[in-house]
Amino acid sequence: IACPVWNPGALLTIAPCEGETEGLVQGQPTLRISPVRKSLQRSSRILDLTKAQGTSFELVDGFHVISGESSGESKISKFQPISINLEWKETAASISALPGEKVATVVIGNRNTGKSTFARFLVNTLLNEHTCVAYLDTDLGQSEFTPSGLVTLGLLKKPLLSPPQARAHSSSNTRSFFTGASHTETNPSAYLTAVENAIKAYSRLGKKYPLVVNTQGWLKGLGLSLLHSILNLIQPQRIVHISKDAVPDTPLPNLASNPKVTVLGCRPAGALRCRASAVELRRMTLV
């Protein structure tokens, strides 16, 4: 696993090496590790796992190997890979095992609890059972697929492995609705209209795919009222509430769909955290 120093959430492309193995022992495990951006493709190189495992060295400028155990000189990395704990895995597996395609799951929680991490993990788990997963991103400040200020409905057929700023572009499988600001308090009515339009777009698909909804982390006052409005619009079958010490800290409205609520603890210990602020990450999506 490799990551850049400025954003430990980003990954390099890692694939089995099928050629250019000169100097390597035949039959030994090898990988080709390449940067995500094509402009850095010239920096691609071959990594012999039998020699490099567990060492910390630069693959390209700013990128380091961050996992493995060294049989030689120990160089402990400052980063630790994300480790998904058992309760997160069991919850994602239980949602993935639900019968039918029309299951809507809303992930809620305060800031920095791991909502986006769990939502990505849930999408990747669902893709083991479904050919496509719908993802509704209602977090204007830290969007998954677009620059800030957009409510986005994406149809995903491949797992989410790269950081948001590496995939911040529109595609034929994405519908986006502009709200005019990167903060919901600027124009709450425009925000709710955008969410409603995204839900209508999902309904026009016939609700053929399971839906995962990521929400914002502002859950007080107006922010809580907006969350209740979104839940009433979606009428989910499952709500995953992520909070400190797995203790519910957000009141929920009574919904006609009578959803099952699962409360989970915050992101697993050792999860990679980005040094960049939320504002800096928003700017990166525009580069």
Side-chain angles (χ1 to χ4, degrees):
I1 304 174
C3 70
V5 173
W6 59 267
N7 183 4
L11 295 176
L12 293 174
T13 299
I14 303 178
C17 178
E18 297 178 352
E20 302 180 22
T21 57
E22 182 179 354
L24 299 180
V25 179
Q26 186 68 24
Q28 292 293 344
T30 57
L31 295 176
R32 175 182 296 281
I33 299 186
S34 309
V36 173
R37 291 185 178 277
K38 293 182 179 179
S39 61
L40 295 177
Q41 195 66 34
R42 64 182 183 278
S43 299
S44 300
R45 60 178 296 179
I46 305 298
L47 173 64
D48 180 357
L49 296 185
T50 61
K51 297 178 180 179
Q53 200 172 34
T55 61
S56 175
F57 63 92
E58 289 197 357
L59 298 166
V60 294
D61 291 342
F63 288 79
H64 302 263
V65 172
I66 61 171
S67 70
E69 296 180 0
S70 175
S71 58
E73 181 182 358
S74 176
K75 296 181 179 180
I76 300 176
S77 171
K78 68 183 72 175
F79 302 120
Q80 302 220 355
I82 294 176
S83 175
I84 303 299
N85 60 32
L86 182 59
E87 64 174 359
W88 280 35
K89 291 179 181 179
E90 289 178 342
T91 300
S94 67
I95 294 173
S96 180
L98 292 174
E101 303 280 344
K102 303 178 182 180
V103 177
T105 304
V106 178
V107 184
I108 68 172
N110 283 290
R111 295 182 177 94
N112 299 319
T113 55
K115 294 188 307 298
S116 296
T117 301
F118 180 81
R120 294 185 201 117
F121 177 68
L122 178 58
V123 166
N124 295 347
T125 302
L126 286 168
L127 284 172
N128 291 328
E129 303 294 334
H130 303 272
T131 58
C132 184
V133 176
Y135 188 103
L136 176 56
D137 188 8
T138 65
D139 188 352
L140 298 184
Q142 298 183 32
S143 303
E144 284 288 329
F145 309 105
T146 63
S148 59
L150 296 167
V151 171
T152 304
L153 175 69
L155 297 180
L156 309 177
K157 297 182 179 180
K158 296 181 179 180
L160 297 174
L161 300 177
S162 60
Q165 56 270 21
R167 55 175 181 266
H169 60 84
S170 298
S171 71
S172 58
N173 292 330
T174 300
R175 292 290 304 276
S176 299
F177 302 89
F178 186 53
T179 65
S182 59
H183 301 284
T184 54
E185 63 267 30
T186 302
N187 194 338
S189 60
Y191 172 68
L192 286 179
T193 298
V195 173
E196 185 175 7
N197 287 335
I199 294 171
K200 288 179 179 178
Y202 172 69
S203 297
R204 286 195 292 270
L205 297 173
K207 297 183 179 180
K208 294 185 294 184
Y209 313 114
L211 175 67
V212 177
V213 183
N214 188 28
T215 57
Q216 62 175 353
W218 179 33
L219 298 179
K220 293 183 178 179
L222 177 59
L224 180 60
S225 178
L226 291 173
L227 173 64
H228 287 186
S229 297
I230 291 173
L231 291 174
N232 278 293
L233 287 170
I234 297 173
Q235 293 294 325
Q237 285 71 49
R238 295 291 296 266
I239 295 176
V240 177
H241 184 179
I242 301 179
S243 65
K244 185 177 180 181
D245 300 323
V247 176
D249 56 8
T250 303
L252 299 175
N254 292 322
L255 299 174
S257 60
N258 192 26
K260 177 181 178 180
V261 180
T262 303
V263 183
L264 301 177
C266 292
R267 77 180 82 208
L272 303 179
R273 295 177 182 270
C274 184
R275 294 181 181 180
S277 67
V279 174
E280 291 170 330
L281 288 175
R282 284 196 291 270
R283 290 171 179 168
M284 289 176 192
T285 63
L286 300 176
V287 175

